[in-house]
Amino acid sequence: MTEELNECELGTREYWDKRYEEEIRNYNSHGDVGDIWFGEDIADRIVKWMEKNTSKQATIADVGCGNGMLLVYLAQSGFEDLSGFDYSECAIHLAEQVMKKNNYYFKLVQCDILKSHGLCSNFDVIVDKGTYDAISLMKDAKKNRTVYIENMYECLKNHGFLLLTSCNWTKEELEEQFLSKFTVHCVIPTPQFKFGGKVGSIVSVVVFKKKHA
Ligand SMILES: C[S@@+](CC[C@H](N)C(=O)[O-])C[C@H]1O[C@@H](n2cnc3c(N)ncnc32)[C@H](O)[C@@H]1O
């Protein structure tokens, strides 16, 4: 049984708008793209998994793309059909600037992925780095987590992949939450720590496969 997390400001759009507004200012003044959530090593592990398991023509969506850096890394690796979605207008503006500076083109859309009209496409792969975590910190998180799972399911092709990176939930917790619509295909290994004889990871990267509709 999932115990909900405490609601906090990271679950609000106002927080992200303010944060990306500041990151745009930093980017314009000294070219800093801002946070790479969970670090470059995790982004690199995601890209490497994609290189081994997905065609370069696969349709890929980054939900809650923030500054768009994961899309840039995927574009650098040769992925051709990339789209980024974020409900923060400032995040989309920052991602547009970062994309142009790196001479790539991907589709960037401001939308709330919890709204049914948000994504409406048939993707081969969806990547989420930290967005389900933010949704888990919203008011009414339980309801919103369910909407998220249904929406991701609806806009993936049959047997499409959802790569979910989380620091709030373990692999076991995520598996339980997604099991009505997804199976765990694999887990991308992340650095582990040992504490009191127990081994754990700070970040979980779970690759879910959509169950057949
Ligand atoms: C922890 S940040 C991660 C950003 C990016 N994925 C990265 O790895 O740098 C969470 C992102 O999710 C976005 N987000 C949260 N809830 C959202 C929603 N309902 N629809 C679209 N974007 C959302 C936020 O604006 C923010 O950009």
Side-chain angles (χ1 to χ4, degrees):
M1 187 66 181
T2 297
E3 198 177 311
E4 296 303 320
L5 307 171
N6 289 332
E7 173 190 343
C8 85
E9 59 171 4
L10 270 77
T12 67
R13 189 172 180 154
E14 294 69 37
Y15 171 84
W16 293 108
D17 268 334
K18 232 167 102 191
R19 183 158 179 151
Y20 286 114
E21 210 177 286
E22 196 181 325
E23 294 203 348
I24 289 180
R25 274 198 298 276
N26 289 339
Y27 185 68
N28 289 334
S29 81
H30 47 272
D32 176 4
V33 294
D35 274 325
I36 308 287
W37 281 83
F38 311 127
E40 293 198 358
D41 171 60
I42 295 289
D44 191 47
R45 286 166 192 257
I46 292 170
V47 174
K48 292 231 165 67
W49 188 89
M50 296 282 284
E51 285 170 350
K52 284 203 186 111
N53 296 280
T54 319
S55 109
K56 292 284 158 83
Q57 288 74 42
T59 48
I60 300 167
D62 183 353
V63 292
C65 63
N67 60 15
M69 279 309 290
L70 183 56
L71 292 164
V72 169
Y73 297 143
L74 288 165
Q76 280 169 347
S77 156
F79 288 97
E80 294 168 6
D81 194 337
L82 300 166
S83 307
F85 302 87
D86 205 293
Y87 68 179
S88 162
E89 202 176 341
C90 295
I92 293 296
H93 284 159
L94 176 60
E96 271 165 0
Q97 292 189 43
V98 170
M99 171 183 82
K100 285 184 188 150
K101 177 88 192 302
N102 284 278
N103 290 318
Y104 289 111
Y105 172 79
F106 32 82
K107 199 170 136 198
L108 288 166
V109 182
Q110 186 212 350
C111 81
D112 184 341
I113 59 164
L114 297 178
K115 300 272 177 351
S116 56
H117 55 80
L119 303 174
C120 57
S121 192
N122 255 353
F123 294 106
D124 293 302
V125 182
I126 295 177
V127 289
D128 170 340
K129 196 156 63 67
T131 304
Y132 183 71
D133 274 359
I135 287 167
S136 304
L137 297 169
M138 288 174 82
K139 192 167 174 231
D140 292 332
K142 187 170 183 201
K143 189 181 111 225
N144 288 316
R145 288 192 300 97
T146 305
V147 172
Y148 171 95
I149 294 166
E150 278 165 8
N151 283 4
M152 296 307 108
Y153 180 83
E154 287 304 324
C155 61
L156 267 178
K157 288 183 185 162
N158 266 334
H159 302 307
F161 291 117
L162 167 65
L163 273 72
L164 193 70
T165 305
S166 169
C167 66
N168 283 344
W169 304 107
T170 62
K171 179 238 168 198
E172 288 72 24
E173 287 167 330
L174 291 170
E175 185 170 11
E176 187 193 313
Q177 292 165 20
F178 282 72
L179 106 134
S180 63
K181 304 272 184 199
F182 292 89
T183 54
V184 173
H185 177 71
C186 68
V187 172
I188 300 178
T190 53
Q192 296 204 311
F193 65 92
K194 205 169 168 189
F195 187 77
K198 271 188 143 186
V199 179
S201 300
I202 296 167
V203 177
S204 314
V205 189
V206 180
V207 181
F208 285 109
K209 195 170 197 172
K210 173 178 169 168
K211 287 185 178 173
H212 203 292

